[in-house]
Amino acid sequence: MELVCPAGTPAALRAAVEAGAHSVYCGFADETNARNFPGLNFSPKELAEGVAFAHKHGAHVLVAINTFPRAGDESLWHRNIAAAEAAGADAVILADMGLLAYAAKNHPNLRRHLSVQAAAANPDIINFYGREFGVKRVVLPRVLTVAEIAAINRETPEVETEVFVFGGLCVMAEGRCSLSSYATGKSPNMNGVCSPATEVQYVEEGDELAARLGDFTIHRVGKDQPAPYPTLCKGCFTSGDQVGHIFEDAVSLNAQDILPQLAKAGVTALKIEGRQRSRSYVAQVVRSFRAAVDALAAGQPMPQGALAALSEGQATTTGAYAKTWR
């Protein structure tokens, strides 16, 4: 299976390639990609240099242009599709149907992947994207079981599937979540930011430390306890007589132990989340997963990587792949 790895900066791209990534994914430094954070992402010149480096080492580069343009103001998204092709990118990752139609018409030789932001999670819609826009691969949302992924693959022979295996766990159907927009006024799907750092505050309240996002308190912990980052869906909520992590715990996805099941389900590519992470983090995670993928391909026992220390709260979950919903 192909290992698709994050590159939030040129340094992280080089680190991922040198650690064994088959492909890296990245985006431009603007609102056209869903990780539009200060200090991250690529200029057109940096992308061209990154593509040249990756190709020299036998790796591919996939460019995420996966936010939804404002109606009547699509020119930036169109320019970036052209810039990705000019840089020699191996594929663009798109979510918006209008952009897919534009790319298919104006850049027919540029391979098109469907972003997880499109939330395509059944055979009918996946085959539609393949038939109408020439989509060759779909990134599946992190809400499906292994059995559901296998069923999808049986009915979508012309479209490859890519699944997340490590990193931040979005528990919603990506592209359809309005929690961050509600709390901050900034949309993951339009502005490229979920629970953005510009809206985060840590405030002492008596003997507690409150982690806030916008006007909402997401967590409260003792002053001597580590305060988790206030990602909204992983916050503490009151529901009936329950108080706690109603949607999802503050943990990371780690599907390394179920790679054999994902391979058997027909998955083509494994995606590591983390474009906002350091190059050291990227290198360690990529190296561990490359060893696991190579061992699986060779029919050998998979090595047990020391990834817990790199996980949110130093705890992991297999997410929806083997989920017991609350």
Side-chain angles (χ1 to χ4, degrees), residues 208-225:
E208 294 182 321
L209 181 65
R212 292 180 180 169
L213 182 70
D215 294 330
F216 296 86
T217 297
I218 309 302
H219 297 281
R220 279 196 183 92
V221 297
K223 282 185 178 179
D224 297 329
Q225 296 177 293

Side-chain angles (χ1 to χ4, degrees), residues 255-266:
Q256 190 172 54
D257 290 343
I258 62 169
L259 295 188
Q261 292 97 303
L262 293 173
K264 189 176 180 180

Side-chain angles (χ1 to χ4, degrees), residues 58-83:
H60 295 142
V61 177
L62 319 176
V63 180
I65 306 175
N66 59 343
T67 53
F68 295 85
R70 293 179 300 277
D73 192 20
E74 305 92 349
S75 59
L76 175 61
W77 283 260
H78 291 175
R79 287 199 303 271
N80 280 358
I81 292 172

Side-chain angles (χ1 to χ4, degrees), residues 29-75:
D30 55 43
E31 60 187 303
T32 63
N33 89 85
R35 287 293 180 271
N36 182 25
F37 292 104
L40 292 184
N41 301 310
F42 289 67
S43 68
K45 179 176 182 290
E46 289 170 332
L47 178 64
E49 292 170 348
V51 170
F53 179 88
H55 287 176
K56 181 179 178 181
H57 291 80
H60 295 142
V61 177
L62 319 176
V63 180
I65 306 175
N66 59 343
T67 53
F68 295 85
R70 293 179 300 277
D73 192 20
E74 305 92 349
S75 59

Side-chain angles (χ1 to χ4, degrees), residues 104-255:
K105 178 181 178 180
N106 295 281
H107 304 274
N109 297 323
L110 181 59
R111 181 178 165 101
R112 293 171 293 283
H113 292 184
L114 187 67
S115 171
V116 70
Q117 295 298 115
N122 64 69
D124 288 340
I125 191 63
I126 291 170
N127 285 326
F128 167 81
Y129 279 111
R131 182 177 64 252
E132 297 297 324
F133 308 116
V135 165
K136 299 299 183 185
R137 180 183 297 176
V138 58
V139 185
L140 295 175
R142 286 162 277 194
V143 295
L144 298 168
T145 66
V146 174
E148 288 169 333
I149 292 170
I152 286 172
N153 280 322
R154 285 193 293 269
E155 296 186 45
T156 56
E158 302 300 320
V159 182
E160 301 169 351
T161 54
E162 178 175 313
V163 302
F164 284 91
V165 291
F166 192 84
L169 177 60
C170 183
V171 298
M172 308 302 176
E174 287 99 334
R176 299 180 184 174
C177 177
S178 298
L179 280 176
S180 181
S181 303
Y182 178 79
T184 70
K186 296 176 181 176
S187 166
N189 312 318
M190 297 289 287
N191 308 110
V193 287
C194 173
S195 304
T198 52
E199 302 293 326
V200 171
Q201 297 180 68
Y202 293 95
V203 181
E204 291 186 1
E205 297 179 349
D207 294 331
E208 294 182 321
L209 181 65
R212 292 180 180 169
L213 182 70
D215 294 330
F216 296 86
T217 297
I218 309 302
H219 297 281
R220 279 196 183 92
V221 297
K223 282 185 178 179
D224 297 329
Q225 296 177 293
Y229 187 88
T231 302
L232 192 48
C233 62
K234 296 180 182 179
C236 289
F237 294 83
T238 299
S239 177
D241 59 356
Q242 296 183 61
V243 177
H245 298 282
I246 301 299
F247 293 114
E248 181 58 90
D249 297 320
V251 297
S252 291
L253 174 68
N254 184 0

Side-chain angles (χ1 to χ4, degrees), residues 2 220 260 274 288 292 309:
E2 178 184 340
R220 279 196 183 92
S288 179

